[in-house]
Amino acid sequence: MRVTRITAERVAIRLEKPFVVALGVIDAADTVFVKIDTDAGLTGYGEGVGIGFVTGETSETVLGAVKAFEPAVVGASPWAIDQIHRSMDRILVRNGAAKAAIDIALHDVVAKAAGVPLYEYLGGTRNTVETDMTIGIGEPAAMAAKAAELVGRGYRELKIKAGLDYAADRQAIALIRQAAPDARLKVDANQGWTVPGALAILAWYADQGVESVEQPLPYWDIDGAAYLRSRSPIPIMADESCFTPHDASVIVRRQAADIINIKLMKCGGIYRALQIDAIAEAAGLPTMLGCMQESRLAIAAAAHLVAARPNVADADLDGFAEFDDSAVVRRAFDFDVPIIKLPDTPGLGVDLAF
Ligand code: MG
């Protein structure tokens, strides 16, 4: 079986409400869908989502990079995933979202060829994944009202964005604790804090039962993260500090995190995500599967991975919930809050209208 063609299409959908995080504002779900055709008649679908202030990619760069990767993919066997990644890396370093789009489509093809759902192709046996739901930065009272609404809809775990203002971060958690007393809470500071500021607020979060804090410091500050981790009363999660398997090995060696947030769009897809999870597992660290503003296609790919890997202890796969992708994604998974149930059709189980 050989790849005969890659087709890419950009789809941008404005979000009803902008999503505010410490690094910037996301006001659109701007995504690139990829289709890979083969001479065996099998088609694979993928998706790449760039967020400039996180990944350094935009939909324009994803389209350009997918085009640049054609010589590495067209004519290759879809089974040769390691070789294709090495070839893509020789054409362009980084560009994880563009690589993820191709990687996901290739995994869709080979799981279809094997006649099994992707989670089974990856070695898994279960087909359900529970996701948390994220609350962006806003007025603390409004964040608490949102928390109550989400718990009312069935979510059991909430991820709270922070990192713009320490006092507001504390007030938000205090009000959310009252509004949703039984919810499991995580905080994501998106690089917004300093070492002394983080130390003070981490101690207070511990009293509030916050279970982990994600990326408290700038992504490049591995020394600071290691120092903070050695003194924090609650687990520290690395997100923007960990894009690649190499980053994961540095974090492990420097003891700079307790948990690693893997995102297909950072690392370049399922193949690299498996490597990161294996590095973390060997070092005794659990991982979480996170996401960008992705449609149900890339979310399905991440959910298959979670279902297949017991070391992935948590899933933050809520990006699809904020926008309506039904114009493009004709069929994906069932979602009964907070459970994603993957279909047992071969591959991703996702059908696109292109
Ligand atoms: Mg994060």
Side-chain angles (χ1 to χ4, degrees):
M1 179 167 58
R2 299 282 157 179
V3 174
T4 53
R5 192 166 59 141
I6 306 175
T7 317
E9 188 172 298
R10 177 183 178 184
V11 176
I13 302 165
R14 282 203 88 68
L15 298 178
E16 283 172 22
K17 273 194 204 154
F19 186 69
V20 181
V21 303
L23 293 167
V25 178
I26 299 164
D27 56 12
D30 197 341
T31 181
V32 174
F33 290 105
V34 162
K35 179 166 76 166
I36 283 182
D37 291 309
T38 65
D39 59 7
L42 291 172
T43 295
Y45 290 117
E47 179 180 8
V49 179
I51 294 185
F53 55 74
V54 178
T55 64
E57 294 175 273
T58 64
S59 287
E60 285 86 357
T61 73
V62 170
L63 284 169
V66 166
K67 186 81 186 155
F69 291 143
E70 273 185 9
V73 184
V74 175
S77 163
W79 300 98
I81 190 76
D82 185 89
Q83 186 194 319
I84 290 172
H85 270 283
R86 286 171 196 272
S87 299
M88 289 196 293
D89 289 347
R90 279 194 291 272
I91 292 168
L92 284 174
V93 296
R94 305 187 182 89
N95 287 278
K99 288 172 184 170
I102 288 171
D103 170 284
I104 293 167
L106 291 169
H107 277 90
D108 191 22
V109 167
V110 293
K112 282 173 175 165
V116 293
L118 182 55
Y119 68 84
E120 203 173 313
Y121 174 82
L122 297 173
T125 54
R126 68 188 170 106
N127 67 345
T128 57
V129 170
E130 176 169 351
T131 181
D132 66 18
M133 179 53 75
T134 303
I135 299 178
I137 297 172
E139 285 297 319
M143 293 170 73
K146 180 82 179 171
E149 179 212 321
L150 291 170
V151 169
R153 281 165 52 195
Y155 289 100
R156 304 192 301 175
E157 189 179 4
L158 304 176
K159 171 162 143 175
I160 313 302
K161 291 289 190 180
L164 284 179
D165 180 298
Y166 289 106
D169 292 345
R170 285 190 187 221
Q171 199 192 354
I173 291 295
L175 294 177
I176 288 167
R177 255 292 158 247
Q178 289 169 19
D182 298 325
R184 297 178 57 192
L185 297 183
K186 294 176 288 201
V187 168
D188 185 356
N190 283 112
Q191 313 180 48
W193 295 338
T194 62
V195 169
L199 280 174
I201 202 165
L202 284 166
W204 184 81
Y205 279 157
D207 291 338
Q208 299 293 313
V210 172
E211 294 184 13
S212 64
V213 168
E214 190 174 329
Q215 200 64 49
L217 303 177
Y219 72 89
W220 45 264
D221 191 4
I222 301 299
D223 288 336
Y227 177 85
L228 207 55
R229 189 202 145 273
S230 71
R231 282 159 180 76
S232 173
I234 56 178
I236 303 290
M237 192 187 311
D239 181 5
E240 292 95 320
S241 295
C242 185
F243 272 57
T244 64
H246 307 293
D247 295 337
S249 75
V250 169
I251 285 166
V252 163
R253 286 203 307 275
R254 304 273 290 276
Q255 301 187 23
D258 302 289
I259 309 165
I260 291 177
N261 181 349
I262 301 172
K263 292 177 180 165
L264 299 179
M265 299 304 145
K266 288 188 299 179
C267 70
I270 291 165
Y271 184 70
R272 297 297 184 206
L274 290 168
Q275 291 179 319
I276 294 173
D277 187 57
I279 290 166
E281 184 171 20
L285 302 188
T287 60
M288 180 178 86
L289 238 296
C291 65
M292 309 293 185
Q293 300 318 114
E294 295 157 25
S295 83
R296 286 176 294 160
L297 190 146
I299 295 294
H304 278 282
L305 185 60
V306 178
R309 297 289 289 205
N311 192 58
V312 183
D314 199 5
D316 177 29
L317 299 180
D318 55 1
F320 74 96
E322 298 294 321
F323 68 100
D324 180 4
D325 62 17
S326 58
V328 182
V329 182
R330 278 197 292 229
R331 177 172 55 82
F333 45 78
D334 291 332
F335 186 54
D336 183 7
V337 178
I339 305 291
I340 292 170
K341 186 176 179 215
L342 295 164
D344 52 15
T345 44
L348 283 171
V350 175
D351 194 22
L352 291 191
F354 104 99

